[in-house]
Each structure stands twice: as structure tokens, then as C-alpha cells.
Amino acid sequence: MPAVSRRAVLGGAGAGLAVGAVGGAWGGRASARDTRPSPGSARVAFHGPRQGGIVEPAQARVEWAAFDLLPGTGRDRAAGLLRDWSAAAARMAAGEPGGDGGGGIALDAGPNSLTVTFGFGASLFDKLGLADRRPPALAALPAFPGDALDPARSDGDLWVQIGADDALVAVHALRVLRRLAAGTAAPRWQMAGFSRTPGATARPMTGRNLMGQVDGTNNPRPQDPDFAAKVFATGPDWMAGGSYAVLRRIRMLLDDWESLPTDRQERLVGRRKSDGAPLSGGPDAGERTPVDLAATAPDGALAIAPDAHVRVAAPASNGGAAMLRRGFSFHDGLLADGAPDAGLLFAAFQADPARGFVPVQQRLARGDGLSRFLRHEAGALFAVPPGAPEGGYVGQPLLEG
Ligand SMILES: C=CC1=C(C)c2cc3[nH]c(cc4nc(cc5[nH]c(cc1n2)c(C)c5CCC(=O)O)C(CCC(=O)O)=C4C)c(C)c3C=C
Ligand SMILES: [Fe+2]
């Protein structure tokens, strides 16, 4: 298959998505003119200066998995695993079989915009005798008020994020990578999430979370002049062009949330539920209307309440702190009390968590109205190295340097 740049592939994916919405995706009438490729054929090149799964739109399905190195695993074995994982990920991203262990479950499907992202936890550096090369930005995060993080579902030596617009494709990739890890690393925890399916809406729009809010509007955008400075690290050498991923499994108290009237829900967020417009903007505002934190209502009260989520989280309230949020919903059945075990697999990518996530979460944990309806149940921080060139593997400069 010819090498295709990530940008070119994504452009193609956009064209393909329209076909899924109109053509035979639901077994409906397919006209003779529907000759464009299906959404399943969209692909994101694995090799490149940056790993996939950071700036690409969230796919319909995500699998997160953390692994711990088996006792006695040294740098050579770990390097071999990253070499095998990278090679398999590159094959699968190109729509080729990943190798043994996938059970044939993705045989009929295209790559479906598959991305595989690899991350390194702080504990990996100690185990491989690389403590002197652990980046300062990977220092343990502080404990935040209200945190109730389950150690069995937190942290890990290695992290794999698999995104695809088809669940079978994502699960297949996970099975392949898991098989390749046998004898070198053991699964520590695994989580599955979802996002909107391409073509599900009449026009592409920012997705919604399980609280029903349009979520992701004020993310930094790749065209912003300071985007790379916010999201990508400049060092140490092996991390230049990489990023740091903060993960949180945040359960939502959905039954309590859904019992609130819409205007109270909107006040707690600071945006309208129907279209995501800021409450500071008046009836004609839209999702992209800039938030005005100083705006007041006719009665003199702040249009965006003091404890509204967007006020407390805004860069302007946190000394400019910013991150790229790329979360997925989860819905994992019922808890013992019958409440849904559902919420957000929150992921934030940034150049330095101490300047991105930490100040924001410190303020949110204390003064965010939304946090009364949220429970932080698991968390992790991983260094996400830059992408690997053709023929190389993710983390090679660290593991062979
Ligand atoms: C520490 C960082 C953040 C956590 C944790 C977090 C959890 C969380 N957020 C929502 C819903 C929304 N968040 C929105 C905006 C927003 N959130 C954060 C940070 C965290 N959120 C930031 C930095 C921002 C942008 C603020 C700004 O600049 O305006 C929004 C509004 C739409 C948007 O801009 O994305 C919603 C809705 C939930 C449900 C949640 C935990 C489950
Ligand atoms: Fe948020």
C-alpha cells in the first residue's frame, strides 16, 4: 500500500464520511453514483513525526489498556515489544492483518481511521534502569480534593490507546497487541469508550458527552499559533514532539444530573445545552461565540456563574493553563445500587501537566458546580513519545539511546 500522509488521509476520511451517511451504511438504497470509498477505508498513517490519536478527531470507539512489565524484563525485551507493537500497529493502520491473536474479527473491515498511541508511565523508567532519563514532567500528580482513585485501575508501565470508527477493528487491534505482549508485559487494566459515529449527524459538529453537553468547543485548535507549544513537548531529546497524557475515569451521577431542570444544568456548565452557546452571548449566540466571563445579566449577576464549569476551567482563570481534551464516554452496566456505571474517560494532552492539567483540576476540585455530579475513580499520567519514522518504533531513541 502506498505511503499516505496523515493529513492527506484525514482529508479523504472526511469525504468518505458523507458517503456513510447517504449510501448503503444501513442497508438502504445505494445509488449508482455512490462510488466514493466507505468510511471504513479511511486510514491514518502510523509513521510520522507525531503519534496518531492526539490531534485526530475522536473515533467512534476507543480501547485503553495499561500493561506492567513482567519481573526480570530488561531494556532489550522492552525494546523488542515496542518494535513488535509498532510494526503491528503500522500494518493494521494500513488495513493489513496485524498478525496472530486477533481472532479474525476484523477480517472484512477497513482500517476505520485506526490509530494506536503508546505511552510510558513513570514506573517504567525505574524498572528499566532509566530513572535518570525520566522527564521532570512525568513527576507524580498531586492528590486532588475528592479523588477516590482505584490503584488497580490506575497508572501502569505502558499505555496503549486504540481508536477506530468500528468496535471490531479496535478490539481486534487490542487482541493483537495483547498477544504480542505475552511473556514481556501483563495487562494491568483496560477500559473501553465511545464517541459519536461519523455520519451520525446531518452535519459534522462537536460531540456530546453523557450529560448531554456539547463537549470540546474551546479546545486549542491545530491552526492556533500557540497550539504546538500547549500540546507538544520540546524535550528531553527523545520526547521532543511528544506529549503528556493525563487520564481520568470520571463517573457521572447521571440519575441526579438528569433530575435537574435544563436551566440549572446550563448554569452549572455556563453554556446552553441545545447548541453549546455560552450563556454570556444572548439568544443569538452560537457554539463558536467567544465566552465573555465579565458579561452580566440585566439583574447585574454574572451571566456565567462563579462556579460554572467553563469559568473555573478557563485558561483566563488559571494563569493561561491549557490542554487538548480528547475524552470518550463509557457506559459499563450498573453499579450494585442500580445506578449506571457511566461517565467520561477524560484524556488531556499537554506539553507539561504541571502547567496544563494540574492548576485547572486543582480549581475544579474545589469550586466547580459540575463536580458535585462527578466522581474521579481512576487516573494515570503517561509520557507519549513522538511518532516513529518508517522502519523505526515508538520510544526507540529512549530504549536504544
Ligand atoms: C482538569 C481538566 C478538566 C476536567 C477533569 C474536566 C471534566 C469534565 N468536563 C466536562 C464538560 C465540559 N467541559 C467543558 C470545557 C472545559 N473543560 C475543561 C477542563 C476539564 N474538564 C476545560 C479546560 C474546558 C474549556 C474551558 C474554556 O476555555 O472555555 C465544556 C464546555 C465546552 C468546551 O469548551 O468543551 C463542557 C460541556 C465534563 C462532563 C467533565 C467530567 C466528566
Ligand atoms: Fe470540562
Side-chain angles (χ1 to χ4, degrees):
M1 202 167 280
V4 184
S5 79
R6 193 167 282 153
R7 186 180 292 274
V9 169
L10 286 170
L17 302 184
V19 177
V22 178
W26 298 100
R29 290 170 295 133
S31 88
R33 286 181 297 139
D34 290 340
T35 54
R36 289 171 296 176
S38 75
S41 66
R43 56 195 172 101
V44 181
F46 175 78
H47 293 290
R50 305 209 195 286
Q51 291 201 64
I54 302 175
V55 301
E56 290 79 12
Q59 296 98 327
R61 173 77 177 213
V62 79
E63 296 286 340
W64 285 354
F67 294 79
D68 285 337
L69 294 179
L70 293 173
T73 300
R75 216 177 297 173
D76 285 353
R77 282 259 296 281
L81 175 58
L82 266 300
R83 192 182 302 117
D84 291 348
W85 271 359
S86 295
R91 284 194 300 272
M92 293 187 285
E96 298 162 14
D100 288 346
I105 57 181
L107 272 178
D108 339 290
N112 279 278
S113 301
L114 177 82
T115 56
V116 181
T117 320
F118 299 112
F120 298 165
S123 50
L124 181 88
F125 294 79
D126 294 323
K127 291 185 181 174
L128 296 182
L130 291 167
D132 56 334
R133 300 192 69 192
R134 182 171 48 224
L138 204 51
L141 299 178
F144 300 100
D147 272 2
L149 308 185
D150 173 5
R153 295 190 291 179
S154 297
D155 305 322
D157 296 342
L158 293 163
W159 175 56
V160 178
Q161 173 186 246
I162 299 165
D165 283 330
D166 179 76
L168 288 178
V169 169
V171 171
H172 168 260
L174 179 61
R175 300 289 309 158
V176 168
L177 299 184
R178 224 183 124 133
R179 171 73 72 97
L180 288 170
T184 304
R188 179 182 172 91
W189 54 259
Q190 201 173 295
M191 297 177 193
F194 57 91
S195 185
R196 185 152 263 159
T197 301
T201 49
R203 58 184 171 80
M205 60 176 284
T206 312
R208 289 183 188 268
N209 60 41
L210 292 186
M211 288 175 144
Q213 305 139 356
V214 176
D215 195 348
T217 306
N218 252 1
N219 250 337
R221 300 170 145 228
Q223 61 269 30
D224 297 344
D226 53 356
F227 179 80
K230 287 174 177 166
V231 178
F232 294 110
T234 50
D237 52 355
W238 65 271
M239 266 299 284
S243 189
Y244 291 89
V246 176
L247 311 181
R248 295 238 141 186
R249 184 188 200 266
I250 307 176
R251 184 162 56 83
M252 297 169 169
L253 307 187
L254 283 181
D255 292 339
D256 296 344
W257 174 257
E258 287 163 9
S259 70
L260 292 183
T262 302
D263 63 331
R264 285 213 44 215
Q265 294 182 353
E266 292 177 332
R267 188 186 174 282
L268 288 167
V269 176
R271 287 182 176 272
R272 224 159 35 210
K273 199 168 177 184
S274 59
D275 58 2
L279 299 186
S280 54
D284 295 333
E287 186 195 347
R288 295 280 156 212
T289 303
V291 177
D292 179 357
L293 294 177
T296 50
D299 65 359
L302 285 167
I304 297 191
D307 66 344
H309 184 74
V310 300
R311 175 184 292 282
V312 182
S317 306
N318 295 286
M323 69 201 85
L324 177 66
R325 292 164 289 131
R326 193 173 186 275
F328 293 83
S329 296
F330 69 87
H331 202 292
D332 290 342
L334 301 175
L335 298 170
D337 65 359
D341 186 9
L344 184 69
L345 298 182
F346 174 90
F349 292 89
Q350 59 253 283
D352 180 359
R355 290 186 292 113
F357 177 81
V358 171
V360 179
Q361 181 54 25
Q362 248 149 8
R363 277 183 67 91
L364 285 176
R366 290 192 182 93
D368 174 24
L370 201 59
S371 67
R372 295 200 299 277
F373 299 85
L374 304 175
R375 296 289 180 268
H376 286 240
E377 297 186 329
L381 167 63
F382 294 102
V384 176
E390 210 70 57
Y393 63 89
V394 171
Q396 188 169 10
L398 172 71
L399 296 169
E400 293 183 19

